[in-house]
């Protein structure tokens, strides 16, 4: 009675404060089966029936212990987790907790219950978060206390009995065969479920079946992104439930056929059983038809959303392409401006080079002219008037006129006076300055001029 009162109080608080932020264990990779941590309440987790949240592993049934761990809120408002001597342990941020020791948890901590199976990730992996109740209400897992309370409301008329181990913990063994009075066991079929148990099982598979109007409205109008995502996550579960319903319908049809095929006797119990089976068959068919309709609606909605998503992606790509084209045009314009600037700079440089070239040509012409004039002057002044050649061993007379040493000696054999001024020759002196100057000039002359001068020098030395 205390658990029912606590559940009612929690539900009333949820309705009264939908915007309040609550702590919960967000399951990694899923938008369902989140575990809410209720304040002022000890939260127990395990695979047994006397826990707040029941975790059942489809791949490894013994992964979660009967009482695996507990969560408790301290007086200062902080939460702690305690490993209740579980088989596969409780791991916080990758570190296994010691048994029966309260360990503080903070927002963002990773809590792993059990260990990963070889080749797979950890099945029960959570993260501690604090979010508004309105945003995570659809993702929360229902407490086992609420499920047990709803079941007990349906079977309150039946006498109480002790639960067996198979009811306390889900068994992986096959269901027992319904044994007929015949000794032939080949005619044995699965034990038929009563209409009440069948409805309970179907309500456990799909508790939303009692609210067809709301489900149809959500299926037809999945405008909310979170509800649409949640419905698509449950689409696979609906498909599995449809297969289970079909299997139950087939079993019920076989039971009805077997009962109708038996010899008719005045057995009111058999007729009542046939009526119950037919009623159960009609109920199963109606639910199966409804789930098929929901599955079609979900598939159509999913297809529309995928088309809308594809259209949005195309629009986004077009927008990105337009932005890229505009950016490219902008870059091309900047490059054109840069090119125009470079062309102007090149024109200016070319003009400067042309002006410089003209100036250099003028300077070179002036230099050549000066060199020519100097050369003409030197040739006129450095030539011997007797042989009309450049001085060879130049000498200066007392009258200051210059001649070749060989030429003036030959001249003095005839006349002992200057050939130019007719003044008597009293002395002649070698002029090394003229010789050096002429030798430097000869170095820049052509090869023919050099050969001719060398030949002339050799002839004069030979005559001596």
């Amino acid at each position: 009675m205390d658990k029912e009162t606590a559940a009612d109080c929690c539900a009333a608080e949820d309705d009264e404060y939908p915007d309040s932020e609550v702590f919960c264990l967000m399951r990694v990779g899923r938008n369902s089966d989140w575990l809410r941590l209720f304040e002022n309440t000890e939260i127990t987790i395990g695979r047994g029936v006397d826990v707040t949240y029941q975790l059942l592993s489809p791949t490894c049934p013994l992964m979660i212990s009967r009482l695996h761990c507990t969560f408790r809120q301290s007086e200062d408002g902080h939460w702690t987790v305690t490993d209740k001597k579980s088989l596969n342990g409780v791991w916080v941020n990758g570190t296994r907790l010691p048994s029966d020791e309260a360990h503080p948890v903070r927002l963002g901590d990773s809590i792993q219950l059990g260990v990963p199976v070889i080749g797979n990730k950890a099945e029960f992996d959570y993260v501690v978060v604090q979010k508004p109740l309105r945003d995570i209400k659809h993702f929360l897992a229902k407490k086992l206390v609420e499920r047990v309370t709803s079941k007990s409301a349906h079977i309150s008329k039946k006498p109480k009995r002790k639960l067996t181990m198979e009811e306390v913990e889900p068994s992986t063994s096959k269901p027992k065969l319904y044994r007929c009075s015949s000794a032939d066991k080949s005619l044995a079929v699965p034990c038929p479920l009563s209409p009440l148990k069948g409805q309970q099982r179907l309500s456990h598979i799909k508790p939303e079946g009692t609210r067809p109007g709301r489900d149809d409205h959500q299926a037809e109008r999945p405008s909310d992104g979170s509800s649409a995502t949640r419905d698509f996550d449950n689409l696979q579960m609906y498909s599995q439930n449809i297969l289970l319903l079909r299997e139950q319908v087939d079993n019920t049809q076989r039971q009805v056929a077997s009962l109708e095929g038996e010899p008719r006797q005045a057995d009111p119990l058999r007729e009542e059983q046939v009526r119950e089976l037919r009623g159960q068959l009609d109920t199963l068919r109606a639910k199966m038809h409804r789930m098929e309709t929901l599955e079609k609606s979900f598939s159509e909605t999913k297809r529309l959303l995928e088309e809308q998503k594809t259209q949005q992606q195309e629009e986004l790509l077009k927008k990105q392409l337009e932005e890229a084209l505009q950016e490219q045009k902008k870059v091309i314009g900047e490059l054109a401006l840069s090119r125009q600037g470079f062309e102007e700079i090149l024109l200016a440089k070319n003009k400067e080079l042309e002006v410089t070239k003209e100036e250099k040509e003028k300077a070179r012409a002036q230099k050549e002219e000066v060199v020519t004039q100097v050369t003409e002057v030197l040739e006129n002044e450095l030539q011997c008037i007797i042989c009309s050649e450049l001085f060879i061993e130049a000498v200066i007379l007392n009258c200051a006129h210059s001649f070749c040493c060989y030429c003036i000696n030959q001249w003095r054999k005839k006349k002992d006076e200057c050939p130019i001024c007719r003044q008597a020759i009293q002395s002649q002196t070698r002029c090394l300055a003229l010789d050096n100057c002429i030798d430097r000039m000869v170095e820049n002359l052509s090869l023919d001029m050099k050969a001719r001068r060398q030949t002339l020098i050799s002839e004069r030395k030979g005559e001596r």
Side-chain angles (χ1 to χ4, degrees), residues 51-74:
V51 294
T52 308
Y53 294 108
Q54 187 181 35
L55 301 182
L56 303 176
S57 174
T59 58
C60 185
L62 299 180
M63 178 64 69
I64 303 299
S65 303
R66 291 185 179 89
L67 179 57
H68 199 92
C69 63
T70 60
F71 287 84
R72 183 185 295 274
Q73 190 179 26
S74 58

Short mmCIF file of all heavy atoms in Angstrom, two decimals, residues 51-74:
data_model
loop_
_atom_site.label_atom_id
_atom_site.label_comp_id
_atom_site.label_asym_id
_atom_site.label_seq_id
_atom_site.Cartn_x
_atom_site.Cartn_y
_atom_site.Cartn_z
N VAL A 51 11.75 -4.74 -7.00
CA VAL A 51 12.65 -3.64 -7.24
C VAL A 51 11.88 -2.51 -7.90
O VAL A 51 10.75 -2.70 -8.38
CB VAL A 51 13.84 -4.06 -8.15
CG1 VAL A 51 14.72 -5.07 -7.44
CG2 VAL A 51 13.33 -4.61 -9.47
N THR A 52 12.49 -1.32 -7.90
CA THR A 52 11.85 -0.16 -8.54
C THR A 52 11.85 -0.31 -10.06
O THR A 52 10.84 -0.08 -10.73
CB THR A 52 12.57 1.13 -8.15
OG1 THR A 52 12.67 1.19 -6.72
CG2 THR A 52 11.82 2.35 -8.64
N TYR A 53 13.03 -0.66 -10.63
CA TYR A 53 13.15 -0.86 -12.08
C TYR A 53 13.68 -2.26 -12.33
O TYR A 53 14.73 -2.64 -11.79
CB TYR A 53 14.09 0.18 -12.69
CG TYR A 53 13.57 1.58 -12.63
CD1 TYR A 53 14.14 2.50 -11.75
CD2 TYR A 53 12.52 2.00 -13.44
CE1 TYR A 53 13.67 3.80 -11.68
CE2 TYR A 53 12.06 3.30 -13.37
CZ TYR A 53 12.62 4.19 -12.48
OH TYR A 53 12.16 5.48 -12.42
N GLN A 54 12.97 -3.00 -13.17
CA GLN A 54 13.36 -4.37 -13.52
C GLN A 54 14.09 -4.34 -14.86
O GLN A 54 13.55 -3.89 -15.87
CB GLN A 54 12.14 -5.28 -13.59
CG GLN A 54 12.51 -6.76 -13.80
CD GLN A 54 11.27 -7.65 -13.89
OE1 GLN A 54 10.27 -7.21 -14.43
NE2 GLN A 54 11.36 -8.85 -13.37
N LEU A 55 15.34 -4.83 -14.89
CA LEU A 55 16.14 -4.89 -16.10
C LEU A 55 16.32 -6.35 -16.50
O LEU A 55 16.81 -7.16 -15.71
CB LEU A 55 17.52 -4.24 -15.87
CG LEU A 55 17.52 -2.78 -15.44
CD1 LEU A 55 18.95 -2.27 -15.30
CD2 LEU A 55 16.75 -1.92 -16.42
N LEU A 56 15.92 -6.68 -17.72
CA LEU A 56 16.02 -8.04 -18.24
C LEU A 56 16.86 -8.02 -19.50
O LEU A 56 16.57 -7.27 -20.43
CB LEU A 56 14.62 -8.60 -18.53
CG LEU A 56 13.64 -8.61 -17.35
CD1 LEU A 56 12.28 -9.09 -17.80
CD2 LEU A 56 14.17 -9.50 -16.23
N SER A 57 17.91 -8.81 -19.52
CA SER A 57 18.80 -8.86 -20.68
C SER A 57 18.35 -9.98 -21.61
O SER A 57 18.28 -11.14 -21.20
CB SER A 57 20.24 -9.11 -20.21
OG SER A 57 21.08 -9.29 -21.33
N PRO A 58 18.03 -9.66 -22.88
CA PRO A 58 17.61 -10.72 -23.81
C PRO A 58 18.77 -11.61 -24.26
O PRO A 58 18.55 -12.74 -24.66
CB PRO A 58 17.03 -9.93 -24.99
CG PRO A 58 17.73 -8.62 -24.95
CD PRO A 58 17.97 -8.33 -23.51
N THR A 59 19.99 -11.11 -24.18
CA THR A 59 21.14 -11.91 -24.64
C THR A 59 21.78 -12.71 -23.52
O THR A 59 22.25 -13.82 -23.75
CB THR A 59 22.19 -10.97 -25.26
OG1 THR A 59 22.59 -10.00 -24.29
CG2 THR A 59 21.62 -10.25 -26.47
N CYS A 60 21.80 -12.15 -22.32
CA CYS A 60 22.44 -12.83 -21.19
C CYS A 60 21.52 -12.66 -19.98
O CYS A 60 21.61 -11.64 -19.27
CB CYS A 60 23.83 -12.25 -20.93
SG CYS A 60 24.75 -13.11 -19.64
N PRO A 61 20.62 -13.62 -19.69
CA PRO A 61 19.62 -13.45 -18.62
C PRO A 61 20.24 -13.19 -17.26
O PRO A 61 19.63 -12.52 -16.43
CB PRO A 61 18.84 -14.76 -18.66
CG PRO A 61 19.06 -15.31 -20.03
CD PRO A 61 20.44 -14.90 -20.41
N LEU A 62 21.42 -13.73 -16.98
CA LEU A 62 22.03 -13.57 -15.65
C LEU A 62 22.99 -12.39 -15.59
O LEU A 62 23.79 -12.29 -14.65
CB LEU A 62 22.78 -14.85 -15.26
CG LEU A 62 21.91 -16.12 -15.16
CD1 LEU A 62 22.76 -17.31 -14.76
CD2 LEU A 62 20.78 -15.91 -14.16
N MET A 63 22.95 -11.48 -16.57
CA MET A 63 23.84 -10.32 -16.55
C MET A 63 23.51 -9.41 -15.36
O MET A 63 24.39 -8.88 -14.70
CB MET A 63 23.71 -9.55 -17.86
CG MET A 63 24.56 -8.28 -17.92
SD MET A 63 26.31 -8.62 -17.84
CE MET A 63 26.54 -9.42 -19.43
N ILE A 64 22.20 -9.22 -15.08
CA ILE A 64 21.75 -8.38 -13.97
C ILE A 64 21.31 -9.28 -12.83
O ILE A 64 20.54 -10.23 -13.02
CB ILE A 64 20.60 -7.46 -14.43
CG1 ILE A 64 21.04 -6.60 -15.62
CG2 ILE A 64 20.14 -6.56 -13.29
CD1 ILE A 64 22.21 -5.69 -15.33
N SER A 65 21.79 -8.99 -11.62
CA SER A 65 21.41 -9.77 -10.44
C SER A 65 19.99 -9.42 -10.01
O SER A 65 19.40 -8.44 -10.48
CB SER A 65 22.40 -9.51 -9.31
OG SER A 65 23.72 -9.82 -9.71
N ARG A 66 19.44 -10.26 -9.08
CA ARG A 66 18.07 -10.00 -8.61
C ARG A 66 17.97 -8.61 -7.99
O ARG A 66 17.07 -7.85 -8.31
CB ARG A 66 17.66 -11.06 -7.58
CG ARG A 66 17.48 -12.46 -8.19
CD ARG A 66 16.96 -13.42 -7.13
NE ARG A 66 16.76 -14.75 -7.68
CZ ARG A 66 17.69 -15.69 -7.71
NH1 ARG A 66 18.89 -15.45 -7.21
NH2 ARG A 66 17.43 -16.87 -8.24
N LEU A 67 18.90 -8.28 -7.10
CA LEU A 67 19.03 -6.92 -6.57
C LEU A 67 20.44 -6.47 -6.94
O LEU A 67 21.41 -6.81 -6.25
CB LEU A 67 18.80 -6.88 -5.06
CG LEU A 67 18.93 -5.49 -4.42
CD1 LEU A 67 17.98 -4.50 -5.06
CD2 LEU A 67 18.69 -5.55 -2.92
N HIS A 68 20.55 -5.72 -8.02
CA HIS A 68 21.87 -5.38 -8.56
C HIS A 68 22.49 -4.20 -7.83
O HIS A 68 23.65 -4.26 -7.40
CB HIS A 68 21.74 -5.07 -10.05
CG HIS A 68 23.04 -5.16 -10.80
ND1 HIS A 68 23.46 -6.32 -11.41
CD2 HIS A 68 24.01 -4.24 -11.01
CE1 HIS A 68 24.64 -6.11 -11.97
NE2 HIS A 68 24.99 -4.84 -11.74
N CYS A 69 21.74 -3.09 -7.69
CA CYS A 69 22.28 -1.90 -7.04
C CYS A 69 21.13 -1.04 -6.56
O CYS A 69 19.96 -1.27 -6.90
CB CYS A 69 23.18 -1.11 -8.00
SG CYS A 69 22.32 -0.45 -9.43
N THR A 70 21.46 -0.03 -5.75
CA THR A 70 20.48 0.93 -5.23
C THR A 70 21.03 2.33 -5.39
O THR A 70 22.25 2.56 -5.34
CB THR A 70 20.17 0.66 -3.75
OG1 THR A 70 21.38 0.77 -2.99
CG2 THR A 70 19.57 -0.72 -3.56
N PHE A 71 20.09 3.28 -5.58
CA PHE A 71 20.41 4.70 -5.63
C PHE A 71 19.67 5.39 -4.49
O PHE A 71 18.47 5.16 -4.27
CB PHE A 71 20.00 5.31 -6.97
CG PHE A 71 20.88 4.93 -8.12
CD1 PHE A 71 20.68 3.74 -8.81
CD2 PHE A 71 21.93 5.74 -8.49
CE1 PHE A 71 21.49 3.39 -9.86
CE2 PHE A 71 22.75 5.39 -9.55
CZ PHE A 71 22.54 4.21 -10.22
N ARG A 72 20.39 6.26 -3.76
CA ARG A 72 19.79 6.96 -2.63
C ARG A 72 20.28 8.40 -2.64
O ARG A 72 21.44 8.66 -2.95
CB ARG A 72 20.16 6.26 -1.32
CG ARG A 72 19.52 6.89 -0.08
CD ARG A 72 20.04 6.23 1.18
NE ARG A 72 19.63 4.84 1.25
CZ ARG A 72 18.47 4.42 1.75
NH1 ARG A 72 17.61 5.32 2.23
NH2 ARG A 72 18.17 3.16 1.78
N GLN A 73 19.39 9.31 -2.26
CA GLN A 73 19.73 10.73 -2.18
C GLN A 73 20.04 11.11 -0.74
O GLN A 73 19.25 10.83 0.16
CB GLN A 73 18.59 11.59 -2.72
CG GLN A 73 18.96 13.06 -2.88
CD GLN A 73 17.82 13.88 -3.45
OE1 GLN A 73 16.66 13.52 -3.27
NE2 GLN A 73 18.13 14.98 -4.11
N SER A 74 21.21 11.72 -0.54
CA SER A 74 21.61 12.11 0.81
C SER A 74 20.89 13.37 1.24
O SER A 74 20.13 13.98 0.47
CB SER A 74 23.13 12.31 0.85
OG SER A 74 23.52 13.30 -0.09
#
